[in-house]
């Protein structure tokens, strides 16, 4: 054989000599830490890239900085879908349907959490009759703590205790790691100092928190999938090479090897890295297809990946502490995750016949103030149980709305493919929008990215497609020409009856009134809400439901 001259590697030097559980847990932690540490950098670079692309002009388009008047001529109104023909009395029905869908996901999340908590304890009791009840309860208590953040993450928007609950579970998890890593026995404690245990606990708690944080989780998950999948494929290839080449493979990495062997070793390592990178992007593309088909929402995907990671870690701990059998940890992992997912699916029940639903367009003053994003994030989270949400993509909301597909394009340096260079027809634009709900009942958030030469024509098309429009005017002054253009277009197209405007203390209402009058409309035609109102989110959602129903009744 071609490799007959290569002798097997001695014991202790092969990858497979390391216990499989240690390899799996090490790979999981490495992938998770890499994703968590890189997420803030990715968020920053993604924002910069989006800002730069938004400022580009399509070559050959004259007068790109001026309003694209020819593209802004309204097309004939299309025939509305039956689901969109609503009367004013249907606003209450839309609200009730949204609550039904919210509670459906809430019940399913609680059922999944209950199964997640109960299964490991039952597995311990039934699988090992000698295990005391205290061990089973303790193991289930740890599972309950880890699953708390995941279940809260998948609850409908508007649960104010979600972030404190996530922080509390992160701190408790960190304390638990410190307690287990720093034993009370003085002889054992010599191996792990209090400082090391504290560092490990804080690291685990911070990783858990960042991986579920609202503005970072969209970057963490895709990076985690790429790194973990790449490690798995590259590791499998390395094991194959070691088993076939043996000592010859070790010679490639030896510092005593000649220049030719060192170059060959460097080439081999580069090929392994390329193979791992390809596998990582292929795995992410598979996840993207799952999301596009509506089998799972991106919110539930975050919860699922969190449970998968911690189920693997705790299953490894179970196999180490309670069972000498190497397959017991894998058996627990399969039963645990399978039972949790099955409980969620059964609690969801049959898919609701939702149709398209009234679509919401979110127009806003681009702002770097993250506090202003909370209202929009809460609104789009609730409206997803009513209909699809559309918005012009910008650097302000990318942290909230980035999905695996967008980040995959960014990492592949192909983010420009998501941007419209010029205005397109309404039919083509409608074909790009996802207006059907997923299996869980959530509609999609459609971010439409545009070059500078396309956004004006595109936003006008979105105005005509959307029966409800929220106009966030917080921070609106006469210097905000883009928002001023949107206000004048809404007035000139006669669409103010679809609009609910939100303003604040820094909103220049006099300038807005002037824009409306210049467009031939009275300022009183614009519905207004102030951010100083205590129940702004609830009032805004209720008014938009009325607006959507009224717009449907007029068609």
């Amino acid at each position: 054989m071609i490799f007959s001259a290569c002798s097997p590697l001695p014991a202790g030097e092969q990858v497979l000599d390391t216990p499989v559980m240690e390899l799996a847990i090490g790979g999981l932690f490495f992938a998770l830490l890499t994703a968590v540490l890189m997420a803030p950098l990715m968020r920053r670079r993604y924002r910069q890239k989006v800002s730069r692309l938004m400022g580009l002009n399509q070559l050959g388009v004259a007068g790109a900085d001026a309003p694209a008047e020819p593209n802004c001529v309204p097309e004939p109104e299309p025939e509305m879908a039956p689901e969109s023909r609503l009367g004013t009395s249907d606003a209450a029905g839309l609200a009730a349907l949204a609550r039904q869908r919210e509670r459906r996901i809430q019940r399913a999340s609680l059922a999944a959490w209950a199964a997640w908590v109960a299964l490991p304890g039952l597995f311990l009791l039934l699988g090992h009759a000698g295990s005391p009840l205290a061990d089973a309860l303790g193991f289930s208590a740890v599972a309950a703590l880890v699953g708390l953040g995941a279940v809260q993450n998948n609850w409908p928007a508007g649960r104010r205790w979600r972030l404190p609950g996530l922080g509390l579970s992160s701190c408790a998890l960190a304390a638990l790691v410190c307690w287990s890593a720093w034993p009370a026995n003085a002889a054992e404690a010599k191996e792990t100092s209090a400082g090391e245990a504290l560092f490990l606990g804080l690291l685990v708690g911070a990783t858990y928190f960042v991986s579920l944080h609202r503005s970072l989780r969209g970057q963490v998950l895709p990076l985690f999938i790429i790194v973990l999948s790449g490690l798995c494929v590259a590791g499998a290839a390395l094991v194959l090479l070691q088993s076939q080449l043996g000592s010859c493979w070790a010679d490639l990495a030896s510092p005593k090897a000649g220049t030719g062997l060192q170059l060959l070793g460097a080439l081999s390592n580069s090929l392994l890295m390329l193979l791992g990178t390809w596998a990582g992007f292929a795995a992410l593309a598979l996840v993207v297809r799952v999301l596009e088909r509506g089998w799972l929402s991106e919110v539930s995907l975050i919860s699922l990946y969190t449970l998968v990671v911690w189920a693997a870690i705790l299953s490894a701990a179970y196999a180490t502490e309670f069972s000498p059998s190497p397959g017991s940890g894998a058996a627990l992992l399969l039963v645990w995750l399978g039972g949790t997912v099955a409980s969620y699916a059964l609690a969801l029940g049959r898919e609701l016949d939702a149709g398209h639903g009234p679509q919401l367009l979110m127009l806003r003053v681009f702002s770097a103030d993250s506090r202003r994003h909370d209202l929009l994030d809460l609104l789009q989270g609730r409206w997803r149980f009513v209909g699809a949400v559309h918005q012009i993509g910008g650097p302000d909301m990318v942290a909230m709305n980035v999905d695996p597909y967008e980040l995959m394009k960014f990492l592949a340096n192909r983010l420009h493919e998501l941007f419209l260079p010029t205005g397109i027809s309404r039919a083509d634009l409608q074909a790009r929008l996802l207006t059907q709900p997923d299996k869980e009942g959530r509609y999609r958030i459609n971010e439409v990215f545009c070059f500078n030469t396309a956004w004006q024509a595109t936003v006008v098309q979105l105005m005509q497609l959307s029966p409800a429009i929220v106009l966030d005017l917080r921070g609106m002054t006469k210097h905000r020409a883009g928002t001023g253009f949107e206000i004048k277009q809404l007035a000139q197209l006669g669409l103010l009856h679809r609009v609910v405007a939100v303003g604040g203390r820094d909103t220049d209402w006099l300038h807005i009134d002037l824009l409306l009058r210049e467009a031939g409309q009275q300022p009183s035609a614009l519905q207004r809400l102030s951010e100083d109102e205590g129940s702004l989110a609830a009032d805004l959602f209720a008014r938009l439901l009325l607006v959507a129903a009224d717009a449907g009744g007029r068609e």
Side-chain angles (χ1 to χ4, degrees):
M1 294 179 62
I2 189 172
F3 301 124
S4 58
C6 301
S7 59
L9 286 175
E13 294 186 12
Q14 297 188 26
V15 174
L16 286 181
D17 290 332
T18 306
V20 176
M21 276 297 180
E22 291 184 13
L23 286 174
I25 300 305
L28 278 173
F29 264 120
F30 178 80
L32 188 57
L33 284 176
T34 301
V36 166
L37 293 176
M38 291 182 63
L41 176 62
M42 289 296 100
R43 181 176 63 178
R44 179 183 177 186
R45 295 294 300 163
Y46 186 81
R47 281 174 170 167
Q48 292 174 348
K49 185 75 170 180
V50 169
S51 298
R52 188 175 70 84
L53 291 174
M54 287 177 60
L56 294 180
N57 295 324
Q58 172 69 8
L59 295 178
V61 177
D65 294 333
E69 294 295 342
N71 290 327
C72 296
V73 176
E75 299 179 13
E77 289 291 332
E79 182 72 15
M80 297 188 69
E83 296 86 351
S84 300
R85 289 178 180 153
L86 305 169
T88 305
S89 60
D90 291 324
L94 286 175
L97 186 59
R99 286 193 298 269
Q100 178 186 353
R101 292 169 181 163
E102 287 181 344
R103 290 169 182 168
R104 178 171 174 254
I105 288 184
Q106 186 175 343
R107 288 194 303 267
S109 300
L110 288 175
W113 185 71
W116 169 264
V117 172
L119 286 173
L122 291 175
F123 192 90
L124 185 60
L125 288 176
L126 298 177
H128 302 280
S131 300
L133 180 61
D135 289 341
L137 292 177
F139 204 77
S140 289
V142 175
L145 179 65
V146 173
L148 182 61
V151 71
Q152 290 182 73
N153 176 73
N154 196 42
W155 275 34
R159 308 296 183 253
R160 293 294 184 182
W161 54 274
R162 180 171 57 190
L163 186 59
L166 176 57
L168 177 63
S169 58
S170 302
C171 294
L173 181 60
L176 179 65
V177 171
C178 291
W179 174 79
S180 60
W182 193 38
N185 186 293
E188 296 178 1
K190 292 180 181 179
E191 300 179 2
T192 306
S193 66
E196 291 173 341
L198 178 61
F199 174 76
L200 179 61
L202 292 177
L203 182 62
V204 171
T207 300
Y208 182 79
F209 182 83
V210 171
S211 63
L212 287 175
H213 193 272
R214 181 66 183 92
S215 64
L216 289 172
R217 67 190 187 193
Q219 289 82 16
V220 171
L221 176 58
L223 289 171
F224 172 78
I225 293 173
I226 291 174
V227 175
L228 182 61
S229 302
L231 283 176
C232 291
V233 173
L238 179 60
V239 169
L240 178 62
L241 289 173
Q242 282 190 344
S243 64
Q244 295 294 324
L245 298 180
S247 60
C248 296
W249 177 262
D251 292 340
L252 295 179
S254 174
K256 297 180 181 180
T259 304
L261 286 178
Q262 288 182 349
L263 289 175
L264 183 58
L267 177 61
S268 301
N269 291 330
S270 299
L271 291 176
L272 285 176
M273 292 180 62
L274 288 174
L275 177 63
T277 302
W278 173 84
F281 276 91
L284 184 57
L286 178 62
V287 172
V288 168
R289 283 197 291 271
V290 170
L291 296 177
E292 288 178 342
R293 294 180 178 228
W295 293 342
L296 196 68
S297 70
E298 79 284 358
V299 181
S300 295
L301 182 63
I302 298 289
S303 299
L304 178 60
Y305 111 88
T306 305
L307 295 181
V308 168
V309 170
W310 288 101
I313 293 172
L314 293 177
S315 296
Y318 164 83
T320 302
E321 295 292 331
F322 300 106
S323 174
S325 173
S328 60
L332 172 59
L333 180 63
L334 293 176
V335 171
W336 201 356
L337 291 177
T340 301
V341 173
S343 299
Y344 184 76
L346 290 174
L348 274 179
R350 192 172 60 181
E351 182 182 1
L352 297 176
D353 185 14
H356 290 279
Q359 303 170 45
L360 172 68
L361 173 61
M362 294 175 56
L363 302 176
R364 64 202 187 275
V365 175
F366 288 172
S367 171
D369 188 354
S370 60
R371 293 173 298 179
R372 292 180 178 172
H373 304 158
D374 292 341
L375 175 63
L376 299 179
D377 186 36
L378 178 60
L379 175 62
Q380 70 181 10
R382 293 200 66 188
W383 196 271
R384 293 185 68 178
F385 295 101
V386 177
V389 179
H390 310 318
Q391 55 190 260
I392 296 293
D396 56 336
M397 293 288 285
V398 294
M400 298 292 183
N401 294 334
V402 64
D403 60 30
Y405 179 69
E406 294 170 0
L407 196 63
M408 181 176 67
K409 289 287 189 182
F410 169 72
L411 293 174
N413 198 28
R414 297 167 57 187
L415 188 63
H416 60 277
E417 295 178 358
L418 300 179
F419 280 70
L420 293 175
T422 57
I424 59 177
S425 68
R426 185 183 305 174
D428 291 338
L429 179 60
Q430 183 71 70
R432 294 172 63 100
L433 303 176
L434 300 175
T435 58
Q436 289 285 355
D438 54 38
K439 303 295 183 181
E440 297 174 278
R442 285 189 177 100
Y443 288 84
R444 316 300 180 89
I445 297 175
N446 294 291
E447 282 190 296
V448 184
F449 293 95
C450 303
F451 285 175
N452 188 48
T453 45
W455 78 268
Q456 291 179 335
T458 303
V459 78
V460 169
Q461 300 285 18
L462 290 174
M463 290 174 183
Q464 296 171 336
L465 287 172
S466 306
I469 302 171
V470 58
L471 183 60
D472 186 1
L473 297 176
R474 291 172 295 173
M476 173 61 186
T477 65
K478 62 182 180 181
H479 303 292
R480 299 283 189 169
T483 306
F485 169 81
E486 293 170 346
I487 294 172
K488 295 185 72 173
Q489 287 297 316
L490 288 168
Q492 292 173 358
L493 296 173
L495 298 177
L496 290 181
H497 64 279
R498 302 184 183 184
V499 181
V500 178
V502 178
R505 298 178 182 178
D506 53 356
T507 301
D508 188 350
W509 288 112
L510 293 178
H511 177 64
I512 295 169
D513 293 346
L514 177 62
L515 292 175
L516 293 174
R517 290 191 178 95
E518 289 178 352
Q521 296 285 348
Q522 292 299 317
S524 58
L526 180 65
Q527 293 191 59
R528 311 178 192 212
L529 286 174
S530 173
E531 66 175 349
D532 296 329
E533 299 180 17
S535 57
L536 175 60
D539 290 345
L540 178 59
F541 183 71
R543 288 205 189 187
L544 286 170
L545 288 179
L546 288 170
V547 163
D550 180 62
R554 294 189 184 201
E555 302 297 336

